[in-house]
Amino acid sequence: MTGGSFHGQALSWRVAEGVVHLVLDRAPCNEIGSIALDELERFVAALETLERDAHALIISSARKEGFCAGADLRELYRESHLLDSARRIKGIRDFLERIHRVMNALDESPLVTIAAIHGVAFGGGFELALTCDLIIADKTARFCFPELRLGLIPGFGGIPRLKRDLGNAVVRDLLLTGRSINVTKAQAIGLVSQLAAEGESLRVARATAAQIGKFDRKTTISAKRFIKPIPREELRREIDIFCELFARQAVEDGLRKFVESTSPLPYLP
Amino acid sequence: MTTLEKTTDQILQLAAQHFSVPREQLRPDDDFFKKLGINSLQALDLLTRIEQHFHIELPDYELQGVADFRTLAERIQSRL
């Protein structure tokens, strides 16, 4: 690792032409577990230094399957199901506190942040994209909050951020049905700012980052701070609700069902 | 109006093309998960391509319990 680059087990980053590029790359589809979280924390710690040489951040995936399939539910089940209730809740709360610090740091970064999406952006992957200022997606992209199938709500800050950006009706539609939406729908509701041809989201994101680099940086930072407040109170409440729900036996049953499922569509209830 | 037969045929063509399976090997009553050998992420990819081809939204829950091309075509027909 150097100051401007890193290559880990779940992600890598480098800086080129004023753009920090964070690349998710862990099989099968960038599930966020303890390794990804450790490395995201390293990235956020390095951001302050990286920001000196950059005006934009692009987050993309090197996995052909998609951007990110969300939290690593298999690890979550493996690590939690043998613990007593109090230790399970403490473990999940600690994880959520850490991931929220990462997500908040990305959300309020002075860099203009762009998620370049292809394939699935589900659960925590969708929530990671929602920290970004712009979402650029190709025609294969799908977005989903499938958490209710497990008896949970999204826990990485997704509900407050989607509500902030698009409003409560969109949150209710996606959250309460658990359905996934394609990029056409996502662009129609204002979630996706630019639609790219298949395999072209990163190229479009780079072109957009180059355009953003032409503007005065101080003005861009002021504009972003003005229009993108962090919904801190709702984010805190989200952690509390998630932990309350996680304590129930139904959640452990749901996790076990998912982990043991051989269904082609295991995310369906 | 598009008939069920036409819709089924278009799905079979779409699946054959995208998953590189000879069209003549696919039949309306085939279990598409088994016939195409697809996993959950590939099933979502197929859903995306179906939505784009027919210019519809087909929520995931409409696919619950659906495994053959003909029933899939019926679900699509109800959204056209």
Side-chain angles (χ1 to χ4, degrees), chain A residues 15-51:
Chain A
V15 186
E17 298 172 357
V19 178
V20 182
H21 188 186
L22 175 65
V23 183
L24 311 175
D25 189 4
R26 184 169 176 82
C29 192
N30 298 320
E31 287 76 5
I32 299 173
S34 53
I35 290 173
L37 178 56
D38 286 346
E39 294 183 359
L40 282 168
E41 286 177 325
R42 287 179 75 155
F43 175 69
V44 164
L47 253 185
E48 200 173 331
T49 306
L50 297 170
E51 284 160 6

mmCIF file of all heavy atoms in Angstrom, chain A residues 15-51:
data_model
loop_
_atom_site.group_PDB
_atom_site.id
_atom_site.type_symbol
_atom_site.label_atom_id
_atom_site.label_comp_id
_atom_site.label_asym_id
_atom_site.label_seq_id
_atom_site.Cartn_x
_atom_site.Cartn_y
_atom_site.Cartn_z
ATOM 1 N N VAL A 15 -5.611 6.724 -7.166
ATOM 2 C CA VAL A 15 -5.964 8.081 -7.605
ATOM 3 C C VAL A 15 -5.325 8.327 -8.961
ATOM 4 O O VAL A 15 -4.137 8.049 -9.149
ATOM 5 C CB VAL A 15 -5.468 9.145 -6.605
ATOM 6 C CG1 VAL A 15 -5.975 10.530 -7.001
ATOM 7 C CG2 VAL A 15 -5.903 8.818 -5.189
ATOM 8 N N ALA A 16 -6.103 8.823 -9.895
ATOM 9 C CA ALA A 16 -5.572 9.170 -11.214
ATOM 10 C C ALA A 16 -6.373 10.329 -11.776
ATOM 11 O O ALA A 16 -7.610 10.321 -11.710
ATOM 12 C CB ALA A 16 -5.639 7.968 -12.149
ATOM 13 N N GLU A 17 -5.680 11.302 -12.311
ATOM 14 C CA GLU A 17 -6.313 12.447 -12.971
ATOM 15 C C GLU A 17 -7.372 13.102 -12.095
ATOM 16 O O GLU A 17 -8.460 13.455 -12.550
ATOM 17 C CB GLU A 17 -6.910 12.025 -14.317
ATOM 18 C CG GLU A 17 -5.850 11.520 -15.281
ATOM 19 C CD GLU A 17 -6.424 10.912 -16.552
ATOM 20 O OE1 GLU A 17 -7.655 10.824 -16.668
ATOM 21 O OE2 GLU A 17 -5.627 10.542 -17.406
ATOM 22 N N GLY A 18 -7.062 13.246 -10.809
ATOM 23 C CA GLY A 18 -7.964 13.946 -9.902
ATOM 24 C C GLY A 18 -9.166 13.133 -9.439
ATOM 25 O O GLY A 18 -10.090 13.680 -8.832
ATOM 26 N N VAL A 19 -9.164 11.843 -9.747
ATOM 27 C CA VAL A 19 -10.310 11.005 -9.382
ATOM 28 C C VAL A 19 -9.826 9.824 -8.532
ATOM 29 O O VAL A 19 -8.936 9.075 -8.938
ATOM 30 C CB VAL A 19 -11.035 10.471 -10.638
ATOM 31 C CG1 VAL A 19 -12.191 9.560 -10.231
ATOM 32 C CG2 VAL A 19 -11.543 11.635 -11.482
ATOM 33 N N VAL A 20 -10.427 9.681 -7.356
ATOM 34 C CA VAL A 20 -10.194 8.494 -6.539
ATOM 35 C C VAL A 20 -11.128 7.409 -7.065
ATOM 36 O O VAL A 20 -12.322 7.649 -7.232
ATOM 37 C CB VAL A 20 -10.514 8.752 -5.047
ATOM 38 C CG1 VAL A 20 -10.217 7.507 -4.221
ATOM 39 C CG2 VAL A 20 -9.755 9.955 -4.518
ATOM 40 N N HIS A 21 -10.552 6.238 -7.346
ATOM 41 C CA HIS A 21 -11.387 5.143 -7.863
ATOM 42 C C HIS A 21 -11.358 3.994 -6.861
ATOM 43 O O HIS A 21 -10.313 3.383 -6.644
ATOM 44 C CB HIS A 21 -10.871 4.693 -9.229
ATOM 45 C CG HIS A 21 -11.767 3.720 -9.913
ATOM 46 N ND1 HIS A 21 -11.456 3.091 -11.089
ATOM 47 C CD2 HIS A 21 -13.008 3.263 -9.582
ATOM 48 C CE1 HIS A 21 -12.440 2.283 -11.437
ATOM 49 N NE2 HIS A 21 -13.395 2.374 -10.539
ATOM 50 N N LEU A 22 -12.498 3.746 -6.249
ATOM 51 C CA LEU A 22 -12.653 2.643 -5.298
ATOM 52 C C LEU A 22 -13.331 1.492 -6.033
ATOM 53 O O LEU A 22 -14.446 1.651 -6.547
ATOM 54 C CB LEU A 22 -13.514 3.097 -4.110
ATOM 55 C CG LEU A 22 -13.874 2.037 -3.061
ATOM 56 C CD1 LEU A 22 -12.638 1.533 -2.328
ATOM 57 C CD2 LEU A 22 -14.876 2.604 -2.056
ATOM 58 N N VAL A 23 -12.649 0.360 -6.090
ATOM 59 C CA VAL A 23 -13.169 -0.787 -6.844
ATOM 60 C C VAL A 23 -13.478 -1.940 -5.886
ATOM 61 O O VAL A 23 -12.591 -2.428 -5.183
ATOM 62 C CB VAL A 23 -12.146 -1.274 -7.900
ATOM 63 C CG1 VAL A 23 -12.726 -2.428 -8.723
ATOM 64 C CG2 VAL A 23 -11.726 -0.133 -8.806
ATOM 65 N N LEU A 24 -14.729 -2.365 -5.860
ATOM 66 C CA LEU A 24 -15.141 -3.514 -5.048
ATOM 67 C C LEU A 24 -14.823 -4.784 -5.833
ATOM 68 O O LEU A 24 -15.151 -4.876 -7.019
ATOM 69 C CB LEU A 24 -16.641 -3.449 -4.747
ATOM 70 C CG LEU A 24 -17.187 -2.116 -4.205
ATOM 71 C CD1 LEU A 24 -18.703 -2.197 -4.070
ATOM 72 C CD2 LEU A 24 -16.541 -1.776 -2.873
ATOM 73 N N ASP A 25 -14.215 -5.755 -5.169
ATOM 74 C CA ASP A 25 -13.855 -6.960 -5.906
ATOM 75 C C ASP A 25 -13.693 -8.143 -4.958
ATOM 76 O O ASP A 25 -12.585 -8.496 -4.563
ATOM 77 C CB ASP A 25 -12.559 -6.734 -6.701
ATOM 78 C CG ASP A 25 -12.257 -7.880 -7.661
ATOM 79 O OD1 ASP A 25 -13.088 -8.804 -7.756
ATOM 80 O OD2 ASP A 25 -11.207 -7.847 -8.316
ATOM 81 N N ARG A 26 -14.802 -8.719 -4.576
ATOM 82 C CA ARG A 26 -14.765 -9.920 -3.727
ATOM 83 C C ARG A 26 -15.910 -10.854 -4.126
ATOM 84 O O ARG A 26 -17.074 -10.447 -4.170
ATOM 85 C CB ARG A 26 -14.889 -9.537 -2.249
ATOM 86 C CG ARG A 26 -14.768 -10.745 -1.307
ATOM 87 C CD ARG A 26 -14.626 -10.299 0.132
ATOM 88 N NE ARG A 26 -14.608 -11.416 1.060
ATOM 89 C CZ ARG A 26 -13.550 -12.165 1.352
ATOM 90 N NH1 ARG A 26 -12.397 -11.921 0.768
ATOM 91 N NH2 ARG A 26 -13.616 -13.154 2.219
ATOM 92 N N ALA A 27 -15.566 -12.094 -4.440
ATOM 93 C CA ALA A 27 -16.577 -13.068 -4.871
ATOM 94 C C ALA A 27 -17.508 -13.422 -3.705
ATOM 95 O O ALA A 27 -17.079 -13.392 -2.551
ATOM 96 C CB ALA A 27 -15.880 -14.331 -5.382
ATOM 97 N N PRO A 28 -18.781 -13.757 -3.987
ATOM 98 C CA PRO A 28 -19.340 -13.796 -5.333
ATOM 99 C C PRO A 28 -19.782 -12.441 -5.873
ATOM 100 O O PRO A 28 -19.642 -12.176 -7.051
ATOM 101 C CB PRO A 28 -20.543 -14.735 -5.197
ATOM 102 C CG PRO A 28 -20.902 -14.697 -3.753
ATOM 103 C CD PRO A 28 -19.645 -14.411 -2.978
ATOM 104 N N CYS A 29 -20.312 -11.572 -5.049
ATOM 105 C CA CYS A 29 -20.784 -10.289 -5.583
ATOM 106 C C CYS A 29 -20.602 -9.169 -4.555
ATOM 107 O O CYS A 29 -21.532 -8.441 -4.230
ATOM 108 C CB CYS A 29 -22.239 -10.396 -6.037
ATOM 109 S SG CYS A 29 -22.778 -8.982 -7.023
ATOM 110 N N ASN A 30 -19.375 -9.093 -4.013
ATOM 111 C CA ASN A 30 -19.014 -7.976 -3.121
ATOM 112 C C ASN A 30 -19.883 -7.879 -1.867
ATOM 113 O O ASN A 30 -20.179 -6.772 -1.388
ATOM 114 C CB ASN A 30 -19.049 -6.643 -3.876
ATOM 115 C CG ASN A 30 -18.048 -6.604 -5.007
ATOM 116 O OD1 ASN A 30 -16.936 -7.085 -4.855
ATOM 117 N ND2 ASN A 30 -18.438 -6.038 -6.136
ATOM 118 N N GLU A 31 -20.285 -9.026 -1.316
ATOM 119 C CA GLU A 31 -21.052 -9.001 -0.075
ATOM 120 C C GLU A 31 -20.224 -8.304 1.009
ATOM 121 O O GLU A 31 -19.009 -8.510 1.116
ATOM 122 C CB GLU A 31 -21.397 -10.430 0.364
ATOM 123 C CG GLU A 31 -22.478 -11.095 -0.475
ATOM 124 C CD GLU A 31 -22.008 -11.582 -1.839
ATOM 125 O OE1 GLU A 31 -20.795 -11.499 -2.123
ATOM 126 O OE2 GLU A 31 -22.850 -12.037 -2.633
ATOM 127 N N ILE A 32 -20.889 -7.483 1.794
ATOM 128 C CA ILE A 32 -20.186 -6.697 2.812
ATOM 129 C C ILE A 32 -20.204 -7.452 4.140
ATOM 130 O O ILE A 32 -21.232 -7.543 4.808
ATOM 131 C CB ILE A 32 -20.825 -5.302 2.963
ATOM 132 C CG1 ILE A 32 -20.732 -4.544 1.635
ATOM 133 C CG2 ILE A 32 -20.104 -4.513 4.082
ATOM 134 C CD1 ILE A 32 -21.468 -3.217 1.614
ATOM 135 N N GLY A 33 -19.056 -8.002 4.486
ATOM 136 C CA GLY A 33 -18.858 -8.667 5.772
ATOM 137 C C GLY A 33 -17.703 -8.009 6.490
ATOM 138 O O GLY A 33 -17.353 -6.858 6.202
ATOM 139 N N SER A 34 -17.077 -8.756 7.406
ATOM 140 C CA SER A 34 -16.042 -8.139 8.246
ATOM 141 C C SER A 34 -14.822 -7.701 7.445
ATOM 142 O O SER A 34 -14.235 -6.647 7.728
ATOM 143 C CB SER A 34 -15.640 -9.107 9.357
ATOM 144 O OG SER A 34 -15.290 -10.356 8.815
ATOM 145 N N ILE A 35 -14.434 -8.466 6.430
ATOM 146 C CA ILE A 35 -13.247 -8.080 5.646
ATOM 147 C C ILE A 35 -13.529 -6.810 4.839
ATOM 148 O O ILE A 35 -12.725 -5.868 4.846
ATOM 149 C CB ILE A 35 -12.818 -9.243 4.713
ATOM 150 C CG1 ILE A 35 -12.257 -10.385 5.555
ATOM 151 C CG2 ILE A 35 -11.781 -8.765 3.697
ATOM 152 C CD1 ILE A 35 -11.960 -11.647 4.769
ATOM 153 N N ALA A 36 -14.667 -6.778 4.168
ATOM 154 C CA ALA A 36 -15.017 -5.575 3.399
ATOM 155 C C ALA A 36 -15.136 -4.366 4.318
ATOM 156 O O ALA A 36 -14.680 -3.264 3.972
ATOM 157 C CB ALA A 36 -16.323 -5.798 2.639
ATOM 158 N N LEU A 37 -15.727 -4.578 5.497
ATOM 159 C CA LEU A 37 -15.888 -3.459 6.425
ATOM 160 C C LEU A 37 -14.518 -2.941 6.890
ATOM 161 O O LEU A 37 -14.286 -1.726 6.917
ATOM 162 C CB LEU A 37 -16.746 -3.866 7.624
ATOM 163 C CG LEU A 37 -16.938 -2.791 8.698
ATOM 164 C CD1 LEU A 37 -17.535 -1.513 8.108
ATOM 165 C CD2 LEU A 37 -17.830 -3.308 9.824
ATOM 166 N N ASP A 38 -13.621 -3.851 7.242
ATOM 167 C CA ASP A 38 -12.261 -3.434 7.640
ATOM 168 C C ASP A 38 -11.627 -2.565 6.552
ATOM 169 O O ASP A 38 -11.025 -1.520 6.834
ATOM 170 C CB ASP A 38 -11.357 -4.654 7.859
ATOM 171 C CG ASP A 38 -11.677 -5.389 9.150
ATOM 172 O OD1 ASP A 38 -12.398 -4.819 9.996
ATOM 173 O OD2 ASP A 38 -11.212 -6.533 9.296
ATOM 174 N N GLU A 39 -11.760 -3.017 5.326
ATOM 175 C CA GLU A 39 -11.095 -2.304 4.227
ATOM 176 C C GLU A 39 -11.815 -1.005 3.874
ATOM 177 O O GLU A 39 -11.172 -0.029 3.475
ATOM 178 C CB GLU A 39 -10.940 -3.236 3.029
ATOM 179 C CG GLU A 39 -9.970 -4.380 3.352
ATOM 180 C CD GLU A 39 -9.700 -5.326 2.190
ATOM 181 O OE1 GLU A 39 -10.278 -5.137 1.102
ATOM 182 O OE2 GLU A 39 -8.892 -6.254 2.379
ATOM 183 N N LEU A 40 -13.125 -0.984 4.040
ATOM 184 C CA LEU A 40 -13.848 0.286 3.847
ATOM 185 C C LEU A 40 -13.412 1.302 4.908
ATOM 186 O O LEU A 40 -13.280 2.496 4.624
ATOM 187 C CB LEU A 40 -15.364 0.055 3.917
ATOM 188 C CG LEU A 40 -16.019 -0.552 2.669
ATOM 189 C CD1 LEU A 40 -17.440 -1.007 2.966
ATOM 190 C CD2 LEU A 40 -16.017 0.446 1.500
ATOM 191 N N GLU A 41 -13.197 0.819 6.120
ATOM 192 C CA GLU A 41 -12.717 1.726 7.180
ATOM 193 C C GLU A 41 -11.320 2.257 6.850
ATOM 194 O O GLU A 41 -11.022 3.424 7.084
ATOM 195 C CB GLU A 41 -12.713 0.995 8.532
ATOM 196 C CG GLU A 41 -14.116 0.805 9.096
ATOM 197 C CD GLU A 41 -14.123 0.012 10.403
ATOM 198 O OE1 GLU A 41 -13.296 -0.913 10.552
ATOM 199 O OE2 GLU A 41 -14.962 0.321 11.268
ATOM 200 N N ARG A 42 -10.478 1.399 6.291
ATOM 201 C CA ARG A 42 -9.146 1.862 5.862
ATOM 202 C C ARG A 42 -9.280 2.926 4.784
ATOM 203 O O ARG A 42 -8.546 3.913 4.760
ATOM 204 C CB ARG A 42 -8.323 0.699 5.306
ATOM 205 C CG ARG A 42 -7.831 -0.256 6.359
ATOM 206 C CD ARG A 42 -7.043 -1.388 5.750
ATOM 207 N NE ARG A 42 -5.706 -0.961 5.331
ATOM 208 C CZ ARG A 42 -4.670 -1.775 5.221
ATOM 209 N NH1 ARG A 42 -4.803 -3.053 5.499
ATOM 210 N NH2 ARG A 42 -3.497 -1.329 4.830
ATOM 211 N N PHE A 43 -10.224 2.694 3.876
ATOM 212 C CA PHE A 43 -10.428 3.659 2.795
ATOM 213 C C PHE A 43 -10.877 5.010 3.347
ATOM 214 O O PHE A 43 -10.338 6.059 2.971
ATOM 215 C CB PHE A 43 -11.460 3.131 1.794
ATOM 216 C CG PHE A 43 -11.801 4.119 0.712
ATOM 217 C CD1 PHE A 43 -10.862 4.459 -0.247
ATOM 218 C CD2 PHE A 43 -13.040 4.731 0.670
ATOM 219 C CE1 PHE A 43 -11.150 5.395 -1.231
ATOM 220 C CE2 PHE A 43 -13.344 5.660 -0.311
ATOM 221 C CZ PHE A 43 -12.397 5.995 -1.270
ATOM 222 N N VAL A 44 -11.842 4.968 4.238
ATOM 223 C CA VAL A 44 -12.353 6.218 4.808
ATOM 224 C C VAL A 44 -11.245 6.944 5.587
ATOM 225 O O VAL A 44 -11.143 8.182 5.526
ATOM 226 C CB VAL A 44 -13.579 5.903 5.713
ATOM 227 C CG1 VAL A 44 -13.911 7.067 6.615
ATOM 228 C CG2 VAL A 44 -14.781 5.555 4.843
ATOM 229 N N ALA A 45 -10.404 6.171 6.287
ATOM 230 C CA ALA A 45 -9.295 6.791 7.019
ATOM 231 C C ALA A 45 -8.307 7.452 6.057
ATOM 232 O O ALA A 45 -7.696 8.472 6.387
ATOM 233 C CB ALA A 45 -8.592 5.733 7.863
ATOM 234 N N ALA A 46 -8.169 6.857 4.863
ATOM 235 C CA ALA A 46 -7.225 7.404 3.877
ATOM 236 C C ALA A 46 -7.819 8.557 3.081
ATOM 237 O O ALA A 46 -7.086 9.307 2.419
ATOM 238 C CB ALA A 46 -6.795 6.295 2.917
ATOM 239 N N LEU A 47 -9.149 8.712 3.149
ATOM 240 C CA LEU A 47 -9.825 9.699 2.287
ATOM 241 C C LEU A 47 -9.281 11.113 2.482
ATOM 242 O O LEU A 47 -9.107 11.852 1.507
ATOM 243 C CB LEU A 47 -11.328 9.692 2.575
ATOM 244 C CG LEU A 47 -12.245 9.056 1.531
ATOM 245 C CD1 LEU A 47 -13.695 9.241 1.932
ATOM 246 C CD2 LEU A 47 -12.000 9.614 0.139
ATOM 247 N N GLU A 48 -9.031 11.464 3.734
ATOM 248 C CA GLU A 48 -8.593 12.841 3.998
ATOM 249 C C GLU A 48 -7.320 13.166 3.213
ATOM 250 O O GLU A 48 -7.164 14.259 2.675
ATOM 251 C CB GLU A 48 -8.353 13.030 5.494
ATOM 252 C CG GLU A 48 -8.368 14.490 5.898
ATOM 253 C CD GLU A 48 -8.290 14.663 7.416
ATOM 254 O OE1 GLU A 48 -8.761 13.771 8.152
ATOM 255 O OE2 GLU A 48 -7.739 15.680 7.833
ATOM 256 N N THR A 49 -6.424 12.191 3.130
ATOM 257 C CA THR A 49 -5.197 12.381 2.350
ATOM 258 C C THR A 49 -5.491 12.348 0.853
ATOM 259 O O THR A 49 -4.999 13.175 0.087
ATOM 260 C CB THR A 49 -4.182 11.261 2.689
ATOM 261 O OG1 THR A 49 -3.996 11.246 4.103
ATOM 262 C CG2 THR A 49 -2.855 11.498 2.004
ATOM 263 N N LEU A 50 -6.319 11.387 0.451
ATOM 264 C CA LEU A 50 -6.643 11.242 -0.969
ATOM 265 C C LEU A 50 -7.333 12.481 -1.524
ATOM 266 O O LEU A 50 -7.142 12.842 -2.689
ATOM 267 C CB LEU A 50 -7.549 10.011 -1.170
ATOM 268 C CG LEU A 50 -6.962 8.646 -0.799
ATOM 269 C CD1 LEU A 50 -8.039 7.566 -0.825
ATOM 270 C CD2 LEU A 50 -5.830 8.273 -1.745
ATOM 271 N N GLU A 51 -8.126 13.126 -0.671
ATOM 272 C CA GLU A 51 -8.902 14.289 -1.112
ATOM 273 C C GLU A 51 -8.024 15.451 -1.564
ATOM 274 O O GLU A 51 -8.462 16.296 -2.340
ATOM 275 C CB GLU A 51 -9.808 14.760 0.030
ATOM 276 C CG GLU A 51 -11.021 13.877 0.250
ATOM 277 C CD GLU A 51 -11.657 14.033 1.623
ATOM 278 O OE1 GLU A 51 -11.205 14.919 2.374
ATOM 279 O OE2 GLU A 51 -12.563 13.266 1.941
#
